[in-house]
Amino acid sequence: MDLGITGRTALVAASTSGLGRAVAEALAAEGARVVVTGRRGEVAREIAARLPEAIGVEADLAAPDGPRLMAEAARSAYGDPDILVLNGPGPRPGRAADITHDEVSGALETLVLAQQRLTALVLPAMRARGWGRILAIGSSGIAAPLPDLALSNLGRAATAAYLKTLAAEVAADGVTVNLLLPGRIATDRVAGLDRAKAAREDRSREDVEAESRAAIPAGRYGAPAEFGAAAAFLCSAPASYVTGTALRCDGGLVRGL
């Protein structure tokens, strides 16, 4: 399938590792000009150097000037972004009864407010051109809140509500807005969560991973490239009639429809 994004500009937030990097690489493989961003500028530039057409930008989405730096770097290199991939670091694990007001504020800043600010910077040009793709990397916790991830559940659910509302407002302008929800994808973040659970429960990480795999109908953790491929489709021209959706890429982990 020709995804129709050759020459399109894709701005991918927090794309120096994990799922963000997988999406950046998938979009680049389909011919997009990619803006790789992250707090580690040197890493962003190293990743960009390996892609067909890309730049690396040092910018922290959660910093006050982070969204502006990302948008300006994209415009300077390639023009206004056609594709925006929203992504951010997950908050610390924790139970809902134990989180603090400051932690809730931090989660909302990182997972909601920063992503809304970046969206607001690139959306007007998309609407004016009559073509745009906004995709948020979410979590299966949006579909089924995850134990011991109260801050992530809270922040990502709020972002999902914002994006669902936005999708209906901009659909007639040729802009789609979707979420892609990972399950257990083999990233450093998931490995860290497994280590934390093993420590809390005084178990081995191997036992925790085996238990997780047993709960996944596919019987394994997903590969980052599999997630990236799903993201590339949602950012594509053929996906022009898919908007306001939350697609799960989880090997069947979430049992609800």
Side-chain angles (χ1 to χ4, degrees):
M1 179 183 292
D2 180 1
L3 296 190
I5 56 174
T6 298
R8 295 285 189 184
T9 297
L11 170 55
V12 186
S15 47
T16 54
S17 64
L19 298 179
R21 178 172 180 173
V23 174
E25 291 173 343
L27 293 172
E30 295 296 332
R33 303 178 299 184
V34 178
V35 182
V36 179
T37 70
R39 289 172 291 184
R40 300 173 297 168
E42 187 59 35
V43 175
R45 289 185 285 273
E46 289 174 1
I47 293 170
R50 301 189 192 107
L51 302 179
E53 188 170 5
I55 62 166
V57 178
E58 182 174 347
D60 180 358
L61 179 62
D65 62 345
R68 178 186 59 81
L69 290 174
M70 292 181 186
E72 289 182 354
R75 290 190 188 106
S76 177
Y78 303 125
D80 287 301
D82 304 289
I83 298 166
L84 172 62
V85 180
L86 298 169
N87 186 32
R92 74 161 183 88
R95 294 164 56 88
D98 300 330
I99 58 178
T100 68
H101 174 81
D102 287 345
E103 288 177 325
V104 171
S105 296
L108 292 175
E109 176 62 39
T110 300
L111 296 176
V112 184
L113 300 179
Q115 300 197 34
Q116 184 277 329
R117 286 195 289 269
L118 182 55
T119 300
L121 288 169
V122 304
L123 181 61
M126 291 181 177
R127 300 181 80 177
R129 288 194 305 270
W131 200 100
R133 300 288 182 266
I134 298 173
L135 177 67
I137 297 176
S139 163
S140 59
I142 291 171
L146 298 166
D148 299 314
L149 287 176
L151 291 169
S152 176
N153 292 337
L154 185 158
R156 296 190 194 281
T159 300
Y162 159 66
L163 293 174
K164 177 64 175 177
T165 306
L166 179 65
E169 296 174 358
V170 301
D173 299 320
V175 180
T176 68
V177 183
N178 293 292
L179 294 100
L180 185 57
L181 311 184
R184 306 294 289 177
I185 309 294
T187 62
D188 290 342
R189 163 73 171 172
V190 169
L193 292 174
D194 285 345
R195 286 193 298 270
K197 183 175 182 180
R200 285 196 309 272
E201 300 178 0
D202 193 23
R203 301 164 59 194
S204 71
R205 176 180 162 186
E206 289 75 17
D207 284 347
V208 169
E209 291 177 348
E211 181 180 72
S212 292
R213 288 194 297 271
I216 303 169
R220 62 180 177 85
Y221 286 10
E226 293 175 303
F227 186 89
F233 172 72
L234 289 174
C235 294
S236 74
S240 59
Y241 204 57
V242 180
T243 195
T245 67
L247 175 68
R248 296 196 298 269
C249 183
D250 66 359
L253 176 62
V254 176
R255 302 306 175 96
L257 292 174

